[in-house]
Amino acid sequence: MSKFEGTVEDIVFRNDQNGWTVASVKLDGDKKRISAVGVMPFLSTGEHAIFDGELVDHRDYGKQIKVSSYESTRPETKSGVERFLASGLIKGVGPATAKLIVDYFGKRALDVLESEPERLTEVDGIGPRRAAMIAESFAEQNGMRNTLIFLQGYGLTPNLSMKIYRAFGDTTESVLRSNPYRLVDEIEGVGFQTADRIAMSLGFGEASEFRLRSGVKYVLSEAANGAGHVYLPRETLVDQAARVLNADGELVDGVMRGLVLQGELVAEAIGDTTAVYLPRMHRAEAETAWLMARLRRSVRPLKLKDGEALRLIEGQEAELGVSLCEEQRQAALAAMTEGVCVITGGPGTGKTTSINVIIRLLRRVGKVELCAPTGRAAKRMSEATGCSARTIHRLLEYSGEQQGFARDADNPLEADVVIVDEMSMVDIFLMRALLCALRPGTRLLLVGDADQLPSVGAGNVLKDLIASGTVRVVRLTEIFRQAGQSQIVMNAHRVNRGEYPEIRARDTDFFLERKGAPAEVAESVVALVKARLPKYMNLDSLRDIQVMTPMKRGDVGVYALNAQLQAALNPPGDKKPELNHGGVIFRRGDKVMQVRNNYDLTWQKGDEDGDGVFNGDIGYILAVDRKARGLVVEFDDGRVAEYDESLLDDLELAYCMTVHKSQGSEFDAVVLPLLSGPPMLMTRNLLYTAITRAKRLVVIVGREACVRSMVDNDHVTLRYSALDARLRAEG
């Protein structure tokens, strides 16, 4: 790391959202200008600055200073002060006014603005109102600058620092000095550990009441975000919080009780357990149960004569040219007679055929809406049924500007029947939002595979609905002849029953390529995706083949395989601009995935536009703007969104993804590297979920012993959720 000193001649570019700046700098003792690039949100024209960084040779822009940090001082010369004032940073001051101010006050102009701003009226052409505006803008810039310096001293990014400043303004420093844990509750993106680090630096002790209270809520929040729990049992919460806080359990228990008394947590008896909730989690679960019970009671039976329902079903079978089995007929009958109905079954059991018949039967009731949790799942639903299907968010008309759904209890959906596919992916919050938007009397049909992994978000909605016994559930178990010819389907069911898959034949749609070392596995995976499978099956390496793995880290984890697959499938090139963000190279043409819900990100699709890109959405980088450090991504369904640098943490390379992230998606071919891994991850239902993502081919690369151990590992990670009990209580 080297130091460079010089005067800022010009701000060539600045991204106001994240502070990324390109500045033209004249180094001390050198007449030539050089660009300094980095996060420098308040660097201004005319300032003298010391930059820590390195000199790099950019292939397009030549030599640059890549800045890691900087310190700046006010300009000390008259020309420097004039350039600073004329930079546009201060409202009401342009080049002409800057010259007038400097001509009058000389190089002391900035001192006057700070300590005697009323003297600005001494300058010709500046009246009291304009002087006040200039003084206010200058003070605001100073406040922002000082706040940023204060926050960056605690390792916060400029983007997060500006978000904090927008929330607290000039009181930021006093807020943090009095209670830094307010950041956790009030600023999105600030976690407990960040606030804790700041607090320790400011002299707060481990036994601080603020710290203990924030730590207890942090454990509950992490349980929801990381493990999908809606609540934690009181003893579990106290034990985990005591470990995180390095505090006595009795002390933590007392703090938890205080939070309950003050309404910041909710405690409720669930069977023999005292369940402790964050209030938003409790509301979501309780309201979901109440809304579901109301919906079930509100639906009136169809007025059908004896045998008419079966005749209608037979008529649709004839029209569609299909023959339903007894289970499928029961599903169709349930959809016609029940207010809420669940259809569950594994691959090849005829869920799609059943839905096709049911859609046509229920059109006699009225308007039928189809939806699914993800864009990929909605697209598959549309293709399978020949009817329009949307994501649940789009069905409910999510608006980023309004921070919520336009369709709700006050503006319900104009639908008589709503059919939801891939229900295993629906979390408690999305379920509550959907139920809020249904008019009493609306029929609701929920379709999914209860044996797949649960939703990424909190809750266990599909399994809880089935376990409650309060809604009609039809299980499809019969595997149809055509599906029975597929080893993918047969092996998925074998795995689900705890039987080892048939993987010895190479001339089927399911086979194992035996490799024993991580390097061999990685090499084989790359060869399969790049050349062998495209040649063998005429597949597109990027769009038709998906590599999945149980874990993110390790030699055959997501991160390592993504780097190798990117190098093989989309190597660097003169016409492929790229940028490095946090050690990840994003290059034009890369396959990427959105890894968290962003309800505010705008997108365009032809003449249509909207808000919201969601966890699991897969797309491809259309353009890279190295100067602005931004990307343009086109998603599978045609939506195009622009990402500035502050949003790049929401994207990951998607040549390889975890099995959890594959939910709701379907690919022509799945390549699954399996060597070893933590027992908590290497489970039967994870293997089952991975297999069911493939339409035409599954290739496992690794050890057969690993496959067998996963089948033997029937561990299902417990999710604390009480929706089933609440549904039973609602009756």
Side-chain angles (χ1 to χ4, degrees):
M1 196 75 67
S2 302
K3 289 188 180 295
F4 304 86
E5 292 190 42
T7 301
V8 180
E9 298 288 308
D10 188 23
I11 300 298
V12 179
F13 170 83
R14 173 170 287 139
N15 184 323
D16 292 329
Q17 294 300 310
N18 56 41
W20 180 263
T21 301
V22 179
S24 177
V25 177
K26 189 169 78 171
L27 295 179
D28 292 349
D30 193 339
K31 294 182 179 180
K32 293 182 179 179
R33 293 186 179 191
I34 189 171
S35 293
V37 297
V39 179
M40 302 176 285
F42 294 111
L43 187 70
S44 299
T45 302
E47 289 183 321
H48 186 269
I50 302 173
F51 304 96
D52 287 319
E54 56 181 331
L55 194 64
V56 297
D57 197 353
H58 195 283
R59 64 185 180 189
D60 292 332
Y61 303 115
K63 290 192 181 299
Q64 295 180 331
I65 302 170
K66 187 178 179 182
V67 179
S68 58
S69 63
Y70 76 101
E71 296 177 12
S72 61
T73 58
R74 284 182 181 176
E76 297 180 352
T77 64
K78 285 181 64 176
S79 61
V81 171
E82 186 176 329
R83 283 199 303 275
F84 176 85
L85 291 175
S87 65
L89 198 65
I90 301 168
K91 293 178 183 177
V93 179
T97 305
K99 187 174 189 317
L100 288 172
I101 293 172
V102 173
D103 283 347
Y104 189 85
F105 293 113
K107 61 183 181 181
R108 289 193 59 254
L110 298 181
D111 294 329
V112 171
L113 278 168
E114 184 172 30
S115 57
E116 303 174 279
E118 67 280 358
R119 290 192 59 195
L120 285 172
T121 56
E122 298 174 18
V123 179
D124 288 341
I126 299 180
R129 180 179 296 179
R130 191 175 178 196
M133 178 178 67
I134 294 170
E136 182 180 353
S137 178
F138 183 80
E140 182 181 349
Q141 290 296 324
N142 259 0
M144 290 176 69
R145 187 190 197 92
N146 293 336
T147 298
L148 183 76
I149 292 169
F150 171 73
L151 293 173
Q152 285 186 320
Y154 295 101
L156 299 182
T157 66
N159 188 45
L160 192 54
S161 298
M162 286 188 277
K163 188 185 291 186
I164 294 169
Y165 181 82
R166 284 194 289 269
F168 298 126
D170 291 338
T171 66
T172 298
E173 188 169 346
S174 63
V175 165
L176 265 63
R177 290 191 182 282
S178 62
N179 179 13
Y181 297 98
R182 282 182 62 183
L183 292 175
V184 182
D185 293 332
E186 299 179 46
I187 307 296
E188 184 180 355
V190 179
F192 171 78
Q193 292 172 332
T194 297
D196 204 36
R197 187 178 68 249
I198 295 172
M200 296 299 106
S201 299
L202 291 171
F204 284 77
E206 286 192 343
S208 160
E209 179 80 5
F210 294 133
R211 180 175 187 266
L212 296 174
R213 289 163 61 91
S214 183
V216 170
K217 290 189 286 185
Y218 163 75
V219 168
L220 277 174
S221 181
E222 283 298 291
N225 296 331
H229 298 306
V230 180
Y231 70 85
L232 285 180
R234 173 188 155 195
E235 295 80 5
T236 303
L237 172 60
V238 170
D239 287 347
Q240 291 186 8
R243 285 199 299 272
V244 167
L245 294 165
N246 192 29
D248 178 73
E250 290 187 9
L251 178 62
V252 171
D253 188 56
V255 169
M256 184 270 295
R257 290 172 182 271
L259 288 168
V260 171
L261 288 173
Q262 293 162 13
E264 294 187 50
L265 296 179
V266 177
E268 185 176 340
I270 303 293
D272 297 329
T273 300
T274 299
V276 185
Y277 293 80
L278 291 169
R280 62 188 176 90
M281 292 289 182
H282 185 265
R283 283 194 303 273
E285 189 174 78
E287 289 174 11
T288 296
W290 182 84
L291 288 163
M292 182 66 78
R294 184 188 69 166
L295 189 68
R296 285 192 297 107
R297 291 191 290 262
S298 70
V299 177
R300 297 176 182 175
L302 292 179
K303 295 179 180 179
L304 298 172
K305 298 177 182 178
D306 290 345
E308 187 177 355
L310 282 175
R311 286 194 296 274
L312 289 170
I313 292 171
E314 289 168 357
Q316 288 302 322
E317 287 181 83
E319 187 175 320
L320 291 170
V322 298
S323 178
L324 301 184
C325 68
E326 182 57 30
E327 291 172 342
Q328 290 174 308
R329 287 197 182 92
Q330 289 302 313
L333 280 171
M336 296 174 71
T337 57
E338 302 287 338
V340 180
C341 177
V342 173
I343 299 176
T344 184
T349 57
K351 293 193 297 293
T352 299
T353 301
S354 301
I355 293 174
N356 275 326
V357 171
I358 290 167
I359 290 169
R360 286 150 182 83
L361 287 170
L362 292 182
R363 280 178 177 161
R364 63 185 286 121
V365 174
K367 185 179 181 182
V368 179
E369 289 280 8
L370 309 182
C371 61
T374 67
R376 272 185 167 253
K379 184 179 179 182
R380 286 199 298 114
M381 194 180 190
S382 295
E383 292 168 351
T385 63
C387 303
S388 175
R390 292 179 277 178
T391 64
I392 299 174
H393 283 86
R394 294 191 69 185
L395 178 68
L396 301 183
E397 299 175 19
Y398 179 81
S399 169
E401 291 183 5
Q402 302 301 319
Q403 293 293 307
F405 297 104
R407 295 292 183 174
D408 54 19
D410 297 324
N411 182 30
L413 289 168
E414 297 172 4
D416 301 289
V417 180
V418 174
I419 301 176
V420 186
D421 198 9
E422 293 286 358
M423 260 302 298
S424 62
M425 298 182 66
V426 176
D427 63 31
I428 193 70
F429 292 103
L430 193 54
M431 191 70 215
R432 191 255 311 263
L434 177 62
L435 292 171
C436 278
L438 300 184
R439 298 177 300 192
T442 304
R443 277 179 160 73
L444 180 61
L445 177 62
L446 307 173
V447 184
D449 186 344
D451 294 316
Q452 288 191 17
L453 294 169
S455 59
V456 175
N460 216 4
V461 176
L462 179 59
K463 287 185 179 179
D464 280 352
L465 278 169
I466 294 171
S468 73
T470 61
V471 298
R472 177 68 186 280
V473 178
V474 180
R475 295 181 183 273
L476 304 179
T477 59
E478 182 175 332
I479 301 173
F480 286 86
R481 184 177 61 83
Q482 186 175 0
Q485 297 171 356
S486 166
Q487 283 299 307
I488 295 174
V489 171
M490 299 309 293
N491 279 335
H493 286 278
R494 287 188 186 101
V495 168
N496 203 32
R497 293 192 300 265
E499 302 169 8
Y500 299 140
E502 293 286 344
I503 53 179
R504 299 192 180 279
R506 291 183 62 89
D507 56 349
T508 70
D509 58 5
F510 191 109
F511 67 89
L512 169 69
E513 186 158 288
R514 289 172 174 78
K515 300 292 179 183
E520 293 176 333
V521 171
E523 182 181 357
S524 183
V525 166
V526 171
L528 282 162
V529 176
K530 183 178 181 181
R532 291 168 56 193
L533 294 184
K535 181 180 179 181
Y536 172 59
M537 299 182 65
N538 194 29
L539 298 177
D540 184 288
S541 294
L542 290 182
R543 297 179 183 272
D544 300 331
I545 305 170
Q546 184 60 53
V547 180
M548 298 177 195
T549 181
M551 65 206 79
K552 290 188 173 183
R553 302 188 184 280
D555 293 332
V556 291
V558 167
Y559 300 137
L561 287 176
N562 263 325
Q564 294 187 55
L565 287 163
Q566 181 192 44
L569 301 177
N570 190 32
D574 292 339
K575 296 183 179 180
K576 292 181 185 176
E578 63 182 46
L579 61 86
N580 186 324
H581 179 77
V584 177
I585 301 293
F586 290 110
R587 184 176 296 135
R588 191 173 69 193
D590 276 338
K591 183 178 184 178
V592 292
M593 173 185 281
Q594 177 79 13
V595 295
R596 59 179 59 85
N597 290 337
N598 185 331
Y599 298 104
D600 302 324
L601 184 59
T602 59
W603 51 261
Q604 291 78 40
K605 183 180 179 181
D607 296 331
E608 184 184 4
D609 56 42
D611 300 302
V613 178
F614 305 108
N615 193 352
D617 285 353
I618 296 173
Y620 305 88
I621 296 177
L622 292 181
V624 175
D625 187 333
R626 287 195 297 264
K627 186 176 179 181
R629 294 189 62 77
L631 306 174
V632 179
V633 176
E634 181 177 16
F635 291 97
D636 275 341
D637 58 2
R639 291 170 300 146
V640 177
E642 294 186 14
Y643 287 73
D644 63 34
E645 191 183 29
S646 67
L647 299 175
L648 295 185
D649 285 339
D650 292 356
L651 288 175
E652 289 182 358
L653 295 176
Y655 300 97
C656 177
M657 66 178 68
T658 63
V659 177
H660 283 82
K661 290 292 188 184
S662 73
Q663 289 174 268
S665 299
E666 194 173 58
F667 308 94
D668 283 304
V670 166
V671 178
L672 187 61
L674 295 176
L675 275 178
S676 63
M680 293 287 287
L681 286 177
M682 309 299 282
T683 63
R684 181 188 300 173
N685 73 329
L686 184 139
L687 178 59
Y688 171 75
T689 300
I691 294 170
T692 58
R693 298 305 88 202
K695 290 191 291 186
R696 297 172 55 191
L697 181 69
V698 171
V699 184
I700 297 175
V701 184
R703 301 188 183 115
E704 185 172 357
C706 181
V707 177
R708 287 173 172 261
S709 69
M710 291 180 75
V711 174
D712 292 337
N713 183 6
D714 195 22
H715 173 81
V716 177
T717 303
L718 175 66
R719 281 199 171 189
Y720 291 112
S721 165
L723 180 60
D724 55 345
R726 294 186 190 280
L727 287 165
R728 287 191 291 270
E730 291 286 349

